[in-house]
Amino acid sequence: MRPLPRLSLAALLVTLAAGTAVPASGSTVATVYPDVETPALYDDEAGGNSNGDDPAIWVHPSDSDDSVVVTTAKEGGLNVYDLGGHQLQHIAAPTAPGPDDEPGRFNNVDVTYGFGGRDLAIVSDRGRDTLRIYAISDGHLTDVTDPAAPFVFNTTQEQVNDGETAYGLGAWKDSTGTYALVSRRHKTSIGLVKLLAKPGGKVGYQLVRTLSLPASFTLPNGRTWAPCLEPDEQAQVEGMVVDQNRDVLYAAQEDVGIWRMRADLTGPPVLVDKVKEYGVPGTYDPATEECTPGADPGFGGQHLSADAEGLTIYYREDGKGYLLASSQGDNTFAVYRREGANSYLGQFRVGAGNGLDGVEVSDGSTVLNVPLGDFDEGVFIAHDGVNTPAEGDREITDFKYTEWDDIADALDLDVDTDGWDPRD
């Protein structure tokens, strides 16, 4: 097989400081409250090993009230909810191909419109190193994945079982086709994957090229730093979103920060903001499988507490808008300008209120300006990694829906329900 085009680290000419966000006056974190939550998911055998991670919204073409929310639950597959948080459909993840192989594990999901006249949900299966593709009609998902679809990053099942597989995902559509940007677990690489129409209405894909972000960094004091991780692991990316009007990809490298780059992966990435822990040395203890941090040299950012996770974009009609990022380490979300150098605008958390618990250690999130049901000025949906009330030692997750105008009012942001039609 001919090697795929790849950008080397040396060729990236990475700009670390450009575009670093400037803190807003004060350091107050606003609190907003959820209006809807989905049913609890349980990551144990009794709960089908369901562990929520990432949401995406499909907008109904004629009645936005009938729009649905598609979410991943890792080994628990996919769940589809209505705008009231009620489950409409469940799709199981694929079983393991052999007794010693990994089962399907759905990690991230995104929605794209108008591929061959159909809307699609694209899912990264980190257990099988594949993409699963579902046609959406009237809010119902049907699997249209080509049975011959290849692994995304690997060539053999043995390599897949090692776990360096398809992980984060963001959809992108331009004049040349429909794509998924897919990150690789435990590596710094991101792949550009093109969707392909196949016979019988099936959809396949092909890896076009890859780009590798840095695994280590030169600090202002001249020392080389890399995030403290398990041996043979690199600082991976999970949260990703494409600015559909600018063909720009934002990628959250969990222990480093947020990168901005061309969506076709042909240009140098720019580090927009860094996590607070950037530059902090650490010593890995194989006995505890934990890292002991050293003294903070003070080179980190001010707004993101590792891990930097889910990314999503709020579009405005004037071409401006907001980039939202999950600051998983302190249970908040940072907001940046969509345009220019992505300057920092403020921080919020989704706290307990309206009879619901808040959002903690959030992975994926999504925001949409379109009026949807009772969310007449748009909605923000986030994964909640610690749903309560607790039930013994069971790991419980779900998804919380919050009105966008509550967030906008708290941070003095705009509400613009004409800002972007996802079907354009």
Side-chain angles (χ1 to χ4, degrees), residues 377-388:
E377 294 185 338
V379 64
F380 173 75
I381 301 176
H383 157 258
D384 176 16
V386 187
N387 187 53
T388 59

Side-chain angles (χ1 to χ4, degrees), residues 17-27 271-274 300-304 334-337 339-347:
T20 300
V22 177
S25 59
S27 57
L271 192 57
V272 172
D273 200 4
K274 296 175 283 191
Q302 301 180 55
H303 316 119
L304 298 171
V335 182
Y336 304 85
R337 293 190 187 279
E339 68 278 6
N342 304 115
S343 57
Y344 173 77
L345 295 173
Q347 205 103 1

Side-chain angles (χ1 to χ4, degrees), residues 170-257:
W172 172 49
K173 181 180 178 181
D174 76 349
S175 60
T176 67
T178 300
Y179 299 85
L181 280 300
V182 186
S183 65
R184 189 172 188 179
R185 187 169 179 246
H186 298 329
K187 295 294 182 181
T188 68
S189 52
I190 299 170
L192 177 68
V193 180
K194 186 173 186 178
L195 299 194
L196 304 172
K198 295 293 184 177
K202 300 297 184 181
V203 181
Y205 51 83
Q206 179 182 22
L207 183 63
V208 177
R209 68 176 59 90
T210 62
L211 175 152
S212 289
L213 295 171
S216 62
F217 303 82
T218 300
L219 301 176
N221 61 7
R223 295 184 177 180
T224 299
W225 170 80
C228 180
L229 301 165
E230 293 188 21
D232 301 322
E233 290 186 9
Q234 297 177 339
Q236 67 190 10
V237 167
E238 183 174 8
M240 294 193 291
V241 67
V242 177
D243 187 325
Q244 302 293 334
N245 294 343
R246 290 183 167 90
D247 297 337
V248 169
L249 169 67
Y250 293 94
Q253 194 172 16
E254 295 177 350
D255 296 289
V256 177

Side-chain angles (χ1 to χ4, degrees), residues 25 52 62 80 84 130 161 184 210 218 305 323 346 350 410:
S25 59
S62 59
V80 181
T130 59
N161 292 341
R184 189 172 188 179
T210 62
T218 300
S305 182
L323 172 69
V350 180

